[in-house]
Amino acid sequence: MTGRLAFVESPVQLLNVLEWAHARGRGPAPAAAPAPAPPAGADRAPGPDAARASAPVPDSGTGSAPTSGPGPASGPGTGSAPASGPGTPPAASAPEPGQGRDAVPAASDDLAIVVLSPSDPMSRGQLRRMAQLARDEGFDVHWQEARAGRGALVRTLRELGGPLRAAERVIVGDPFSRYVQLLLTLFGPRHVTVVDDGTATMEFAAQLAGGERLVRWHRKGDLGPRELLLAPVTSLARRRLAPGPHRTVEIFTSLPVQAPPGTEVTENAYAWTRSRFGPPALTGGADLVGTSLVETGVVDAEHYLRVVGQLARTHGATRYFAHRRETPEKLHRIAVETGLQVVRPELPLELIARRGPVGATIVSFPSTVVHTLPLALAGTGVKVAVCEIAPEWLKATASPRAQGFLAGVVGTASGADRLTPRGGSAADRLEFG
């Protein structure tokens, strides 16, 4: 029996593991078809297939998320709604240790998925819902509190050691993750698959091909004390993520990636998402997709807020789909200053958009969705547009690689229209290029 073990740390990673299993013809037959999409024009449909806004999901491990104070819930035009009530999809019932299902599933001919739980409430909430979807598809999902205080790392390594040694194939969603890199130092799997967690897949492929050390594109080039300490782990993990005489490496991606020597690149066409959900009902106007470029120190906050307002006015947008890492303070300003309804999605945007209702135009900053949404929404009539990042929007402290990387994300998004800054001020006019 050849076991397959997947490690995921984000909702998108888990979605793409399901896509990989579907593309390989593995896994149980799909569950019953979802309920029909609500009629066009509905702000927030009550059914489980609506693109509803939600507050961060209360989590049994960290306590309820705050419902007061500055943030999108307190600003006008926001769409925050409780994550419970009639028609709300249940949060994934990820068992806690001691509740009867805390053992890591043994690797078998079926795919076993291990969620290395993150700390922030938004990611945890989305992951719980994605975990429930995976369980509904018949997959075994284990929720691992990998960051739950002192001793979590040692406990995680101890619990995952056996399944790791037994796995014939390991699927990872973030090769830059220190946690995943540490796990890979425990053993060398015979077969490795890397699925998308974002545009970082493009950087991973380029670094793998060039024999470079693994470093996220928005990081500065110099090694800090922490990076120096972890350098041996990163170096070993990089070797175990590279093809060799006794190891195959597959990159399963929706992005335009050149296959590094010895690797196999398999296209992710979002076939599971398209077969499982939708097509969506379309509303008038446009939806904007937010980004965490401000939070990662790449884009200046004031420039970003001005451009969001300009895009909303130009395209008649009414909703702003927040990235799960955007801060409540920034989202509050967007709601107050632009009048946009801030929506904090309960699931990855590909599923939210496919379920609908969704705007006839979706405008995004450079991110993975400018590559994935045209695939997920193929044949629906929805137009996706990407707003380029002008050099003057970047912070002085941004990585020197940031501008080139973001330009590459835009330039390779063949399924999206391009919005190019023009005129005297980059924030003054945004037109289709």
Side-chain angles (χ1 to χ4, degrees):
M1 300 282 279
T2 57
R4 288 170 293 276
L5 188 61
F7 294 106
V8 299
E9 299 176 82
S10 79
V12 170
Q13 291 175 30
L14 181 45
L15 168 60
N16 287 324
V17 168
L18 297 182
E19 292 287 354
W20 177 84
H22 180 82
R24 291 294 182 118
R26 293 174 177 139
D43 276 340
R44 196 182 310 130
D49 292 339
R52 284 181 297 100
S54 71
V57 181
D59 185 81
S60 59
T62 60
S64 298
T67 56
S68 60
S74 59
T78 58
S80 292
S84 60
T88 302
S93 54
E96 304 295 339
Q99 292 184 348
R101 199 175 159 199
D102 54 328
V104 180
S108 67
D109 195 52
D110 293 323
L111 172 65
I113 301 171
V114 176
V115 177
L116 300 173
S117 177
S119 301
D120 69 284
M122 281 299 294
S123 296
R124 289 172 69 91
Q126 284 191 4
L127 262 170
R128 287 187 180 277
R129 287 171 171 79
M130 278 304 306
Q132 189 60 54
L133 276 179
R135 291 190 180 105
D136 290 345
E137 296 293 304
F139 291 104
D140 198 349
V141 182
H142 170 74
W143 185 278
Q144 182 76 30
E145 289 292 357
R147 296 169 173 86
R150 185 177 300 176
L153 174 61
V154 174
R155 181 173 61 253
T156 297
L157 296 178
R158 183 177 63 247
E159 292 181 5
L160 296 181
L164 272 169
R165 286 188 293 272
E168 182 80 0
R169 177 177 295 274
V170 171
I171 302 104
V172 299
D174 183 5
F176 297 99
S177 164
R178 299 300 191 197
Y179 226 117
V180 167
Q181 290 178 0
L182 187 58
L183 288 171
L184 287 175
T185 63
L186 300 178
F187 84 124
R190 290 186 57 191
H191 305 287
V192 176
T193 294
V194 176
V195 301
D196 286 335
D197 184 41
T199 50
T201 308
M202 299 164 69
E203 195 75 346
F204 166 70
Q207 291 173 10
L208 191 64
E212 305 170 25
R213 64 186 180 91
L214 299 181
V215 58
R216 298 184 192 276
W217 65 267
H218 57 81
R219 302 280 189 190
K220 291 284 190 148
D222 297 334
L223 288 176
R226 184 171 180 268
E227 286 72 21
L228 286 172
L229 180 66
L230 293 171
V233 170
T234 301
S235 178
L236 179 55
R238 189 213 164 278
R239 293 197 296 273
R240 289 183 169 172
L241 286 165
H246 305 292
R247 181 176 302 110
T248 68
V249 176
E250 174 193 25
I251 301 176
F252 181 73
T253 180
S254 59
L255 301 167
V257 168
Q258 287 292 110
T263 65
E264 174 190 3
V265 173
T266 306
E267 181 187 9
N268 177 6
Y270 280 85
W272 177 78
T273 296
R274 286 185 285 109
S275 66
R276 185 73 169 78
F277 304 108
L282 304 187
T283 67
D287 291 326
L288 299 186
V289 178
T291 176
S292 59
L293 289 174
V294 171
E295 286 73 12
T296 53
V298 175
V299 171
D300 176 77
E302 296 306 318
H303 272 302
Y304 183 82
L305 288 165
R306 283 197 295 271
V307 173
V308 167
Q310 176 66 17
L311 288 171
R313 291 189 295 273
T314 301
H315 298 281
T318 58
R319 296 187 298 181
Y320 178 94
F321 286 96
H323 188 280
R324 57 193 170 83
R325 293 196 184 99
E326 289 187 84
T327 64
E329 293 77 16
K330 188 180 82 174
L331 295 178
H332 176 66
R333 285 192 62 185
I334 288 172
V336 171
E337 296 175 20
T338 70
L340 286 165
Q341 179 190 31
V342 173
V343 179
R344 294 186 283 191
E346 294 178 332
L347 292 167
L349 194 58
E350 294 82 4
L351 299 185
I352 293 293
R354 184 72 195 181
R355 288 172 162 191
V358 68
T361 299
I362 298 177
V363 180
S364 174
F365 293 94
S367 73
T368 317
V369 299
V370 303
H371 292 269
T372 61
L373 285 180
L375 296 172
L377 294 170
T380 64
V382 177
K383 180 171 67 176
V384 179
V386 54
C387 177
E388 294 180 332
I389 301 294
E392 54 265 42
W393 301 354
L394 300 181
K395 296 186 69 173
T397 55
S399 165
R401 303 157 60 202
Q403 182 66 37
F405 182 82
L406 293 171
V409 172
V410 174
T412 55
S414 58
D417 293 324
R418 188 179 301 185
L419 290 170
T420 304
R422 294 174 180 168
S425 168
D428 288 340
R429 237 174 28 157
L430 289 158
E431 302 176 351
F432 283 106

